[in-house]
Amino acid sequence: MARELETIDPQERFLEFFKKEKYRQRISQTAITGKESITVDFEELFAFDQRLAERLLEKPDEFLHHADNASYAQLGIEDSEYAEKIEKVTVRIVQLLGKEQLRKLGSKQMGKLVMIEGIVVRATPVRPMVMRAVFKCKRCGTPTPVDQTGAFLRAPFECSDPACRQKGPFEFVQDESTFIDSQDLRLQERPEDLPPGQLPRTLNVKLVGSEIVDLARPGDHVSIVGVVRAIAPSRPGIGKLRTFILHLDANSLEVLGKEPEAALPSPEEEKKILELAKDPWIHRKIMSSIAPSIYGYEHVKEAIMYLLFGGVPKSLPDITVRGEMNALFIGDPGTAKSQLLQYVARVAPRGLYTSGRGTTAAGLTAAVIREKGGSMSLEAGALVLADKGIACIDEMDKMRPEDRVAIHEAMEQHTVSVAKGGIVATLNARTAILAAANPALGRYEPHRTVAENISLPVTILSRFDLIFVLRDVPNKEADEKMTAHILEIHRKGASPVEAPIGSELMRKYVSYAKTIKPVLSRDALKRLGDFYLAMRAASESEGSPVAITARQLESLVRISEARARVALRKEVTAEDAEAAVTIMKRSLEEVGIDVSSYKMDIDLIMTGRPKSVRDRMQIIISVLMGMEKETGIVEKAALLNELESKHQIPRGEVERMIGQLLREGTIYEPREGCLKKT
Ligand SMILES: Nc1ncnc2c1ncn2[C@@H]1O[C@H](COP(=O)(O)OP(=O)(O)OP(=O)(O)O)[C@@H](O)[C@H]1O
Ligand SMILES: [Mg+2]
Ligand SMILES: [Zn+2]
């Protein structure tokens, strides 16, 4: 039987396949659409003739050639006029039965047809490639055509005129040569396919033909069917190396949906999820499931919860408003920032952990890169790769200067635009950002403004929905608890507190919740509006130029929506709004805004220009230090007098601030009624 099949001409077999109604239609369609290729679903070919399909995978060069010829023959029957015009039909195979893993690709797959999924990280512009080059002999002028293969332009061995036969010199005649569009891509493993803790691998892909180039942009998730090739890199003057480099000659390319492959919950898991959502304490449960080994930081974990679930993006005809949130943790060294970020990258449906510098030349946004051959290509950075996911950026203050500029657009508009070296492109970067940064001075200085404490410009800071400061302040009670907690981890080798929801279920819970689009109720709307207007009004009567901005109002909406999502609710309640206001207040307070008295002026505080509270604290400290120089120890009463008479700061306020400075440990009381700077 097998022998019998061998004797059948493969081209005949393909022709039979193309006589199926569906493919006859596809082939005759090409004449109407002006295309020069048809798509074949591998599964259908496999069902038609398993042996033929298998041999196509084994010997793709030979069998794709047969398939091309067969489809062209069928086109001749369907529409002979069009067939004459186009000379060739390319068969593009899609959806092989199984996909090959990028990191498993090796010598075994060389020369085979495989399907690989990945994310495009780099793309060159579309460039014409010579297929058939015509060279003119400089002696007799006879043109000699040479079909081109390989990477380098090849001249003829000798002049084709039998009377001449000179071995050069030749002149390349561009007008008479034939070109085809080509493009090089670099494919990278998707963040969600990556084994934990591994660096992603990449593979170069060559696209040839106007119908396959320019389909995918950096950041796109694609499925490519192609032939694995190996080329020996050559060293000038030495020769070719023995170890080859793999690349893929693409036969077909499909852009996949951008949503992270939602790990769909099983019916049992769905039941569990719905049950959990009914729990009145669901928010607490989720929060205590976030990095349970990290002690404390309740508000930080609450912020992480909102970030994981996210708000609802709004697309209006004229503008779009992001739904993803951005949060920043500024913290002293060793306050578990990196640990929290890595946890989020692990549980988020598409999480990516990177340092501010980025792990590739493209950094956080994108870059135009000059490749070895001198050609330019566009490479996607971390935020583009984490499109529709969460980018966890550690050490954000250390990002590249180019990213500092580009990240503004990425954080608000969710796109990255590049116009450099002849490449003009806009890439999507619809990511939530969780960033961590160290204070510029090593430790957080509570008397300086946020902007002074961190080397990030205000324009970037203001794009964070929530900012928290993680300080490492010695405190007997808290230290004892945390010490016990950490030592317990080391003793047991496990977290002393069990997560109520495991990370696997958590990921599914988040994916499930993200399909819900909660809508603000009237009550919620009123609560958010009232809070926002009160703050605006307060700053107006204070006479300060700009207070809290519209950005904070949008943040409040996002946080409330995220909170409703956690409970799988379609409606944002007043309670959600209240929680959003509470955490927003806390964040504003942490960056130095006095919410209780409504003396807030986000621009002034963040830029560090004089504003009553911060300013007065500085005055108190400098006056105290000045007096200390003279008298050693400063009497509190003397300090109060000095500040009242010379600086017009009311006693009550000074008392209050001294209290705060004492609590923070900036000053201390060596004895009753005396003060000293620490
Ligand atoms: N609250 C905490 N609970 C449990 N472990 C903690 C806590 N704070 C710090 N640690 C532990 O301290 C170590 C240092 O944490 P990590 O590396 O995340 O700090 P970091 O904030 O990133 O510091 P840096 O700013 O220097 O990068 C980790 O092993 C972490 O588990
Ligand atoms: Mg760290
Ligand atoms: Zn010649």
Side-chain angles (χ1 to χ4, degrees):
M1 181 68 187
R3 182 167 265 268
E4 209 175 306
L5 270 175
E6 294 289 340
T7 57
I8 296 176
D9 180 2
Q11 194 165 316
E12 286 297 313
R13 250 340 241 164
F14 274 117
L15 196 55
E16 268 176 62
F17 177 70
F18 288 131
K19 290 209 184 293
K20 292 171 81 162
E21 191 49 38
K22 180 173 178 181
Y23 285 98
R24 281 188 54 193
Q25 264 180 21
R26 275 193 195 175
I27 288 170
S28 51
Q29 274 288 315
T30 56
I32 298 162
T33 54
K35 279 176 63 180
E36 301 184 12
S37 66
I38 58 157
T39 328
V40 169
D41 300 278
F42 184 79
E43 209 177 325
E44 288 172 14
L45 185 69
F46 191 82
F48 169 77
D49 185 337
Q50 184 177 341
R51 176 102 184 101
L52 185 70
E54 281 166 357
R55 291 178 68 196
L56 173 69
L57 296 182
E58 283 298 308
K59 291 195 154 74
D61 289 327
E62 189 187 330
F63 280 75
L64 281 172
H65 189 66
H66 289 315
D68 289 354
N69 287 345
S71 64
Y72 186 67
Q74 186 59 31
L75 179 65
I77 298 167
E78 303 289 337
D79 191 328
S80 58
E81 209 174 300
Y82 186 64
E84 246 165 69
K85 214 173 107 200
I86 67 170
E87 288 179 6
K88 182 179 189 256
V89 173
T90 305
V91 172
R92 303 201 185 278
I93 312 285
V94 294
Q95 292 305 320
L96 302 192
L97 300 181
K99 58 184 176 200
E100 202 70 52
Q101 287 207 318
L102 204 157
R103 63 174 51 230
K104 299 254 168 74
L105 227 51
S107 51
K108 221 177 105 203
Q109 286 85 12
M110 268 163 59
K112 305 277 157 58
L113 192 70
V114 298
M115 178 168 81
I116 291 187
E117 283 179 7
I119 178 165
V120 176
V121 287
R122 203 185 263 201
T124 64
V126 174
R127 296 175 293 197
M129 183 169 85
V130 196
M131 295 304 282
R132 171 171 252 228
V134 174
F135 290 88
K136 203 155 85 185
C137 174
K138 278 199 171 167
R139 310 217 172 195
C140 71
T142 308
T144 307
V146 184
D147 287 334
Q148 300 289 323
T149 53
F152 298 96
L153 187 64
R154 234 165 7 98
F157 174 67
E158 55 178 28
C159 177
S160 61
D161 182 353
C164 173
R165 289 199 175 280
Q166 287 289 336
K167 296 197 165 53
F170 296 102
E171 190 187 359
F172 175 60
V173 193
Q174 187 175 319
D175 287 353
E176 288 169 35
S177 303
T178 45
F179 287 85
I180 193 163
D181 285 337
S182 79
Q183 186 179 29
D184 291 309
L185 298 183
R186 183 170 294 172
L187 202 63
Q188 183 174 303
E189 286 176 289
R190 303 202 272 178
E192 56 260 51
D193 295 338
L194 210 58
Q198 298 268 3
L199 280 181
R201 304 231 176 129
T202 59
L203 176 72
N204 289 335
V205 179
K206 180 117 204 139
L207 306 175
V208 177
S210 56
E211 284 165 17
I212 193 171
V213 297
D214 239 2
L215 286 180
R217 286 182 300 171
D220 281 347
H221 290 235
V222 295
S223 167
I224 299 182
V225 172
V227 184
V228 182
R229 305 257 188 236
I231 297 188
S234 50
R235 289 271 178 81
I238 301 174
K240 296 206 167 182
L241 297 180
R242 227 179 105 202
T243 40
F244 284 53
I245 292 177
L246 292 180
H247 78 269
L248 198 67
D249 266 344
N251 169 256
S252 75
L253 181 152
E254 288 179 297
V255 177
L256 302 173
K258 297 283 272 193
E259 302 299 326
E261 265 174 40
L264 281 183
S266 64
E268 279 152 65
E269 284 166 332
E270 188 172 351
K271 223 178 107 199
K272 249 192 243 164
I273 288 172
L274 293 174
E275 209 144 288
L276 273 170
K278 277 194 225 122
D279 189 331
W281 294 104
I282 181 63
H283 295 95
R284 293 243 124 244
K285 265 199 175 154
I286 299 263
M287 272 158 62
S288 49
S289 303
I290 292 173
S293 309
I294 304 297
Y295 177 81
Y297 294 141
E298 237 119 89
H299 57 296
V300 167
K301 291 183 179 181
E302 188 178 344
I304 291 177
M305 169 173 77
Y306 296 142
L307 193 109
L308 274 173
F309 287 82
V312 183
K314 317 282 180 336
S315 283
L316 311 176
D318 48 346
I319 55 163
T320 55
V321 181
R322 67 185 160 95
E324 292 81 5
M325 289 182 23
N326 301 321
L328 171 67
F329 303 149
I330 306 169
D332 293 341
T335 44
K337 297 181 298 297
S338 300
Q339 298 280 23
L340 286 166
L341 260 59
Q342 272 170 343
Y343 172 84
V344 173
R346 268 202 308 277
V347 301
R350 182 181 288 159
L352 189 142
Y353 176 89
T354 178
S355 92
R357 283 181 214 283
T359 39
T360 62
L364 296 179
T365 52
V368 172
I369 305 222
R370 185 182 290 277
E371 303 212 52
K372 258 187 249 142
S375 62
M376 297 294 202
S377 69
L378 176 60
E379 179 164 323
L383 293 182
V384 177
L385 299 186
D387 187 31
K388 295 255 167 179
I390 298 183
C392 300
I393 308 173
D394 209 347
E395 326 259 338
M396 185 170 187
D397 45 325
K398 298 176 188 69
M399 71 182 147
R400 305 177 313 159
E402 303 92 289
D403 283 336
R404 272 177 193 257
V405 179
I407 206 157
H408 287 88
E409 179 195 346
M411 289 182 76
E412 199 69 72
Q413 271 66 48
H414 276 177
T415 52
V416 172
S417 299
V418 182
K420 202 178 151 196
I423 293 178
V424 179
T426 298
L427 308 174
N428 283 321
R430 292 157 292 187
T431 67
I433 295 177
L434 179 60
N438 283 116
L441 304 161
R443 279 189 168 266
Y444 198 85
E445 292 277 348
H447 303 297
R448 292 172 188 258
T449 63
V450 169
E452 284 172 329
N453 260 299
I454 181 174
S455 45
L456 284 176
V458 191
T459 44
I460 291 180
L461 288 179
S462 69
R463 282 166 164 78
F464 284 102
D465 298 74
L466 293 169
I467 299 179
F468 288 113
V469 177
L470 310 189
R471 294 187 56 210
D472 186 14
V473 187
N475 171 312
K476 187 154 176 289
E477 200 184 324
D479 281 355
E480 275 169 9
K481 283 202 190 120
M482 175 142 116
T483 309
H485 179 98
I486 293 180
L487 290 179
E488 185 68 8
I489 293 178
H490 286 271
R491 190 179 69 82
K492 283 211 303 192
S495 178
V497 251
E498 187 99 19
I501 304 170
S503 53
E504 199 51 40
L505 185 61
M506 178 81 122
R507 187 180 300 127
K508 291 189 174 155
Y509 195 110
V510 173
S511 300
Y512 192 90
K514 283 207 157 202
T515 58
I516 295 169
K517 304 211 167 7
V519 178
L520 288 171
S521 67
R522 264 179 201 288
D523 292 345
L525 211 75
K526 183 158 186 330
R527 181 68 190 100
L528 297 182
D530 286 352
F531 174 69
Y532 179 68
L533 289 176
M535 288 194 298
R536 291 287 286 194
S539 57
E540 200 174 291
S541 58
E542 283 276 303
S544 38
V546 186
I548 191 159
T549 74
R551 282 224 169 95
Q552 274 78 37
L553 182 58
E554 287 179 354
S555 299
L556 285 168
V557 173
R558 277 191 282 271
I559 298 169
S560 337
E561 286 167 346
R563 194 174 181 280
R565 264 186 177 171
V566 174
L568 307 183
R569 259 189 280 107
K570 290 204 177 62
E571 193 192 52
V572 180
T573 61
E575 198 190 326
D576 295 327
E578 194 58 52
V581 166
T582 308
I583 194 159
M584 171 66 76
K585 268 192 191 164
R586 165 105 198 220
S587 168
L588 291 175
E589 265 164 9
E590 293 224 343
V591 299
I593 296 168
D594 190 356
V595 183
S596 54
S597 63
Y598 285 124
K599 268 187 204 153
M600 53 183 64
D601 189 330
I602 202 155
D603 274 0
L604 284 183
I605 292 292
M606 284 202 173
T607 46
R609 273 189 283 143
K611 180 67 199 155
S612 53
V613 183
R614 296 286 100 187
D615 219 33
R616 285 179 176 180
M617 284 232 182
Q618 282 294 4
I619 295 175
I620 293 175
I621 293 167
S622 58
V623 168
L624 175 72
M625 283 165 71
M627 290 169 77
E628 241 176 61
K629 266 202 203 111
E630 286 171 20
T631 55
I633 273 180
V634 182
E635 300 264 347
K636 190 169 165 188
L639 180 68
L640 288 175
N641 285 337
E642 176 88 3
L643 285 164
E644 194 176 31
S645 59
K646 294 230 178 89
H647 299 274
Q648 288 81 41
I649 309 179
R651 264 165 194 276
E653 203 176 325
V654 177
E655 295 257 20
R656 206 173 50 106
M657 287 181 182
I658 287 177
Q660 197 176 332
L661 289 171
L662 281 170
R663 258 176 281 131
E664 281 167 357
T666 311
I667 59 176
Y668 68 105
E669 263 185 306
R671 71 182 130 81
E672 187 74 26
C674 290
L675 297 170
K676 205 168 163 48
K677 168 106 176 57
T678 42

